């Protein structure tokens, strides 16, 4: 099993177990919040399956129909996960408003509280593991899935707050916390969607990236100038095109070697997938 798939398999197994535990305990003690949280955990299985499919497709090598590879699929599936988070925010907000309207009261016990705490701890651990591997591999799917885990952990926090407040006779504290949580999750969803939309639409990286490219190219021997640098995202990686200036008193073989060296140096950078180098001869160089 590849490293990128391990957090996703763990996510599926963990969400199934947590979801079933919360639904069973919620059903036994008539806790709508625990049942809803359990359904939320089971719904996360769908996003993890989507992420696995996305990882498998995005890792496929270039072919005739996709000559630059399939990396854009990673961002496309991450965008879908962002949309799923919007739906999660809506459901939590809707549930919170319904609690205010209907003011349902249940009998809270230690088992229900422990289940909520267990969910918070497990989901936060899953979040940190997915974030660690996602950032290590620069995989947007794992990062998006990690924040989906965190949304589930936060929803369990809301459930726990609601159970504790209800235990002490305060019936609307959990609903208010749920509404705040819905806005927080919606903000994360918007960030994920916008980030991956930029990747999908070929947005240029920041100005500091262009400076680093220029500096790297100028570090190659006999490169005396760099101009017309262009760069854009192709999925989570960047494609770069630039012109390097070389003196006219060098051989064609040296020009070719310079082109290859600049290309290799740029493609060795972590976020650069391809570099297209044009060599321009400068007559005024002495």
């Amino acid at each position: 099993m590849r490293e990128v798939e391990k957090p996703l398999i763990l996510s599926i197994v963990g969400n199934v177990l947590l979801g079933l535990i919360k639904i069973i305990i919620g059903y036994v003690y008539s806790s709508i919040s625990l049942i809803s949280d359990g359904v939320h955990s089971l719904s996360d299985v769908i996003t993890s399956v989507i992420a696995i499919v996305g990882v498998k497709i995005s890792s496929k090598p270039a072919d005739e129909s996709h000559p630059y590879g399939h990396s854009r699929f990673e961002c496309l599936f991450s965008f879908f996960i962002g949309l799923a988070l919007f739906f999660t925010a809506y459901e939590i907000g809707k549930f919170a408003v319904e609690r205010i309207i209907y003011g349902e009261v249940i009998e809270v016990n230690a088992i229900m509280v422990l289940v909520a705490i267990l969910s918070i701890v497990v989901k936060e651990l899953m979040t940190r593991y997915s974030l660690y591997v996602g950032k290590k591999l620069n995989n947007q799917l794992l990062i998006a899935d990690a924040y989906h885990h965190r949304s589930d952990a936060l929803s369990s926090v809301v459930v726990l707050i609601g159970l504790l407040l209800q235990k002490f006779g305060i019936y609307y504290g959990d609903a208010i916390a749920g509404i705040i949580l819905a806005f927080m999750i919606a903000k994360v969803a918007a960030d994920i969607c916008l980030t991956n939309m930029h990747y999908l639409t070929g947005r240029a990286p920041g100005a500091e990236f262009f400076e680093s490219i220029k500096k790297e190219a100028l570090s190659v021997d006999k490169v005396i100038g760099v101009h017309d640098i262009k760069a854009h995202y192709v999925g989570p990686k960047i494609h770069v095109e630039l012109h390097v200036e070389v003196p006219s008193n060098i051989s064609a073989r040296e020009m070719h070697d310079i082109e290859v060296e600049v290309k290799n140096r740029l493609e060795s950078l972590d976020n650069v997938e391809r570099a297209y180098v044009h060599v321009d001869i400068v007559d005024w160089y002495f």
Side-chain angles (χ1 to χ4, degrees), residues 222-224 245-250 255 258 280-282 285:
K222 295 185 180 178
V223 172
I224 58 177
E245 299 170 355
V246 299
S248 59
N249 60 347
I250 63 174
M255 292 181 191
I258 290 171
D280 295 339
I281 298 173
V282 178
Y285 179 79

Side-chain angles (χ1 to χ4, degrees), residues 18-281:
L18 278 176
L20 291 176
I21 290 172
K22 285 186 277 191
I23 290 172
I24 291 171
I25 297 299
Y27 179 78
V28 169
Y29 295 105
S30 301
S31 171
I32 296 176
S33 60
L34 272 180
I35 293 173
S36 299
D37 202 31
V39 172
H40 181 196
S41 293
L42 290 180
S43 72
D44 285 352
V45 174
I46 298 174
T47 61
S48 293
V49 170
I50 290 174
I52 288 178
V53 174
V55 164
K56 289 187 178 297
I57 293 176
S58 63
S59 62
K60 290 170 62 178
D63 54 29
E64 186 175 343
S65 60
H66 295 85
Y68 295 104
H70 297 75
S71 60
R72 279 192 176 102
F73 283 94
E74 178 184 318
C75 302
L76 178 63
F77 281 83
S78 299
F79 181 81
F80 289 153
I81 291 177
L83 293 181
L85 275 174
F86 271 121
F87 179 75
T88 298
Y90 166 76
E91 287 296 317
I92 291 176
K94 177 184 173 183
F95 174 74
V97 171
E98 288 174 349
R99 287 295 298 272
I100 293 176
I101 294 173
Y102 299 111
E104 295 152 338
V105 179
I106 60 173
E107 192 68 33
V108 179
N109 58 46
I111 294 177
M112 298 163 67
V113 172
L114 287 174
V115 168
I117 293 173
L118 173 67
S119 176
I120 294 167
V121 173
V122 172
K123 294 297 290 188
E124 182 59 25
L125 290 174
M126 291 167 67
T127 297
R128 297 193 178 202
Y129 179 47
S130 293
L131 273 178
Y132 168 75
V133 179
K135 290 180 178 180
K136 176 183 176 183
L137 301 179
N138 189 30
N139 188 290
Q140 296 301 312
L141 270 171
L142 286 182
I143 293 172
D145 198 47
Y147 285 117
H148 208 154
H149 291 323
R150 182 153 286 164
S151 78
D152 203 7
L154 290 173
S155 70
S156 294
V157 169
V158 172
V159 171
L160 179 61
I161 292 172
L163 292 174
L164 294 176
L165 290 176
Q166 199 145 309
K167 178 77 173 173
F168 294 102
I170 303 173
Y171 303 128
Y172 299 112
D174 63 322
I176 294 172
I179 292 172
I180 295 172
L181 171 61
F183 281 107
M184 291 170 59
I185 294 175
K187 172 63 168 58
V188 172
D191 290 342
I192 291 174
C193 286
L194 286 174
T195 297
N196 287 284
M197 189 185 299
H198 292 328
Y199 289 157
L200 288 168
T201 55
R203 182 177 181 175
E208 66 279 359
F209 172 81
F210 289 91
E211 286 299 320
S212 66
I213 291 297
K214 183 176 182 180
K215 182 179 179 181
E216 191 69 32
L218 287 172
S219 68
V220 175
D221 186 37
K222 295 185 180 178
V223 172
I224 58 177
V226 179
H227 64 274
D228 289 348
I229 305 176
K230 298 176 183 178
H232 67 281
Y233 281 99
V234 178
K237 293 290 188 178
I238 301 174
H239 286 197
V240 180
E241 180 181 350
L242 75 161
H243 290 247
V244 296
E245 299 170 355
V246 299
S248 59
N249 60 347
I250 63 174
S251 66
R253 178 60 182 269
E254 287 179 295
M255 292 181 191
H256 175 266
D257 290 344
I258 290 171
E259 176 187 343
V260 171
E261 185 174 353
V262 172
K263 176 181 174 66
N264 289 340
R265 286 201 187 188
L266 295 182
E267 291 183 351
S268 68
L269 300 175
D270 288 339
N271 51 353
V272 176
E273 184 177 50
R274 292 177 185 269
Y276 303 93
V277 183
H278 306 274
V279 178
D280 295 339
I281 298 173

